[in-house]
Amino acid sequence: MSGFLSPLALFRDPSIAPLFISRIISSASVGFGQLALAWGAMNLGYGARGLSLVMACNAFPALLIICGGVAGDRFRRHRVLMAAETLACLSWLAIGAALFTGSAPLPLLCALAAIGGVATAMFLPTLRGIIADLLDSPNRPAGNALVNQTQSAGLLIGLVSSGAMVSAIGPAWAASMRGILCGLSAVLLSRLATSRPSHPGTGPLRDLRDGWREFGARPWVWIMTLQYTAITTAVVCYTKIAGPLYATDGHGGAWSWGIISACEPLGAVMGALVGARWRPGWPMSAAALLPMSVALPMLLMGSGAPWPSIAAAAVVPGVLQAVYYVLWTTALQDRIAQDVLARVNSWNMVASYVLMPLIMLASGPLVAVLGAEVLAFWSGTTAVVATLSALVGLRLAAWKESSSKIEVKGAMA
C-alpha cells in the first residue's frame, strides 16, 4: 500500500469495501441527525434549556459504552455494528414521525433521543477495532485513513444536504432521512465477514476488569484519554449548544450552521490522506498536539466573527483531527492485544461520553445567561489548556519510563 492515494485502493477489495461504503452512508445520516434534533427541538419552542435536555438524553446512554466494548470483544464485530445501525434506524424514524406531528412532547423526544444514544454506545468502540480484524498491521494506517476519509465525506454530504433540507422542508424530513440511511448501512455491514473472537468464557464483569487493567497499565493511553475527554467536552458545548444558538441569533440560521459544520469534514477528507502517509518521530506527542486546532473556530465564534470566517477556520481542525485519528487508532491497534482492543477503546471513550449529558444540561442554562459567544470562547480555551497539559504529561511519563529502564540496567550490571 504505497503512494499518496493508496488508501483508495482498498475500495477494490470486496472483503472490506462494504465497510467504507457503509461509513459514507451512515456518516451522512449523522449530519442529517445533528441538525434535525437541534432545529426540531427549537422549532417546537423548547428553547436553549429544552435543546440542552434533548441533547443530554441523546448523550446519556454513552454510559453503556463500556458494555459496547465488551460486546465488540465477545461477538463478531460486524454483527455488533449491524445491530447498532438497526437500532439507530428505528429510533430516528420514530423521531421523524414525532416531529411530523408538530406537537411532539419534550419527554417523548428525550426518550427517542436516548434510544439513538444506545446505538452510538454500541457502535463506537467496535468500529475502532474492526480494522484490526479485516487488515494486517502494515495496511491498517491506510484502512484507518479511509475509515476517517469516508466518514468525513459522508458527514460533509449530510451536513450540507441537511442544512438545505431543514431550511426548505423541515427537520422531520431530515430525521427520517437519518433513519433510512442507517438502515442501508446495516444492510451493507451484513456483507462483511469477521471471525468470532477467541474468548476464555469469563463473565462480563471480568471482561470489564481485564479491559481496565490493560487500559490503566499504559500511561500514554490514559493521559491521552484525559485530553480526549476535555477536548470532547469543549467540542460538544460548541457543536451541540453554542453553535446552533449562535447561528440562530442572526448569523445565518440552519443553512450557515450546516456550512460551518461541513467545513471540518471537508478538511478531514484531505487530512486522512496525510495521516495514512505521515510517520512522525514522536507519534504520541504529535497526536497530542493536533487536537488543539479545534480551538480556532471556537475562539473566532467567541469574538463574534461572521459565520463565513468561522467556516473557513473550521477546515484547519478538520485536516489535523483526521491525521490525529489515523495516528491514535493505528497505535492502539498495533500495541493492544486484539482480544481486548474494543474494551480498551471503550475505556478510552467512556469518560468523555459520561460527562456529555452533564455538560449539555449545564451549558443550556449557561448560554441562556451568558450568551453563545462566551460559551464558545471558554470551550476553545479548554481545548488549548488540555492539549498543553497532555504534552507535559507525556513528557513526564516518557522520562519516568526511561529512568526506570536505566535503574533496571544498573541493577542487572
Side-chain angles (χ1 to χ4, degrees), residues 57-58 60-62 64 84 87 113-123:
C57 289
N58 183 241
F60 183 77
L64 301 173
L87 183 60
I115 296 173
V118 172
T120 300
M122 293 173 59
F123 192 90

Side-chain angles (χ1 to χ4, degrees), residues 32 38 46 53 75 116 129 146 156 163 165 170 177 183 252 265 353 372 391 406:
F32 281 95
Y46 293 125
L53 182 59
F75 305 105
L146 193 53
L156 174 63
M165 179 176 285
M177 180 60 72
Y353 284 94
L391 289 170
I406 291 173

Side-chain angles (χ1 to χ4, degrees), residues 26-385:
S26 182
S27 298
S29 80
V30 172
F32 281 95
Q34 281 186 13
L35 269 68
L37 206 52
W39 262 263
M42 289 190 290
N43 286 354
L44 290 172
Y46 293 125
R49 288 180 173 82
L51 173 61
S52 66
L53 182 59
V54 171
M55 293 299 186
C57 289
N58 183 241
F60 183 77
L63 288 165
L64 301 173
I65 201 167
I66 54 175
C67 300
V70 171
D73 285 335
R74 274 184 170 260
F75 305 105
R76 290 180 174 86
R77 286 174 176 151
H78 76 286
R79 291 184 178 175
V80 176
L81 297 181
M82 284 172 57
E85 289 284 47
T86 301
L87 183 60
C89 169
L90 297 175
S91 66
W92 281 96
L93 288 175
I95 290 172
L99 294 177
F100 272 121
T101 67
S103 58
L106 186 60
L108 176 62
L109 283 182
C110 290
L112 294 175
I115 296 173
V118 172
T120 300
M122 293 173 59
F123 192 90
L124 289 177
T126 306
L127 176 64
R128 288 193 178 185
I130 197 169
I131 287 292
D133 288 346
L134 299 173
L135 293 172
D136 55 15
S137 182
N139 291 331
R140 285 173 189 165
N144 291 321
L146 193 53
V147 165
N148 187 272
Q149 192 174 36
T150 49
Q151 287 179 164
S152 301
L155 189 57
L156 174 63
I157 294 167
L159 288 170
V160 173
S161 303
S162 63
M165 179 176 285
V166 168
S167 298
I169 57 177
W173 288 100
S176 301
M177 180 60 72
R178 176 160 193 197
I180 292 169
L181 293 176
C182 287
L184 291 175
S185 174
V187 172
L188 284 165
L189 290 168
S190 69
R191 300 182 61 185
L192 297 174
T194 56
S195 59
R196 181 167 184 163
S198 58
H199 201 277
T202 58
L205 292 179
R206 175 65 181 274
D207 287 347
L208 290 176
R209 288 197 299 269
D210 290 346
W212 172 255
R213 185 173 60 250
E214 293 291 331
F215 170 82
R218 296 167 173 83
W220 60 275
V221 175
W222 56 258
I223 288 171
M224 296 284 284
T225 296
L226 291 174
Q227 182 202 17
Y228 179 83
T229 300
I231 294 285
T232 302
T233 298
V235 170
V236 166
C237 289
Y238 167 70
T239 59
K240 304 293 187 182
I241 307 296
L245 292 172
Y246 183 83
T248 302
D249 188 21
H251 293 277
W255 172 252
S256 70
W257 184 242
I259 296 296
I260 292 170
S261 301
C263 283
E264 184 168 331
L266 175 63
V269 172
M270 300 177 286
L273 296 175
V274 178
R277 187 174 183 179
W278 186 39
R279 299 293 181 271
W282 296 87
M284 288 301 100
S285 295
L289 181 62
L290 294 172
M292 187 168 64
S293 59
V294 302
L296 180 58
M298 297 177 188
L299 295 176
L300 281 174
M301 183 176 289
S303 68
W307 74 262
S309 299
I310 300 171
V315 176
V316 177
V319 173
L320 299 183
Q321 287 282 79
V323 179
Y324 163 82
Y325 177 88
V326 176
L327 291 177
W328 177 243
T329 306
T330 303
L332 289 174
Q333 291 168 352
D334 288 344
R335 301 183 191 186
I336 305 294
Q338 191 169 341
D339 60 347
V340 295
L341 180 57
R343 279 169 285 169
V344 171
N345 275 321
S346 68
W347 283 114
N348 170 236
M349 298 176 187
V350 69
S352 59
Y353 284 94
V354 166
L355 289 176
M356 269 191 199
L358 302 177
I359 295 298
M360 289 179 188
L361 286 173
S363 60
L366 280 176
V367 78
V369 174
L370 302 176
E373 292 91 340
V374 174
L375 182 61
F377 172 81
W378 284 110
S379 297
T381 302
T382 298
V384 173
V385 172

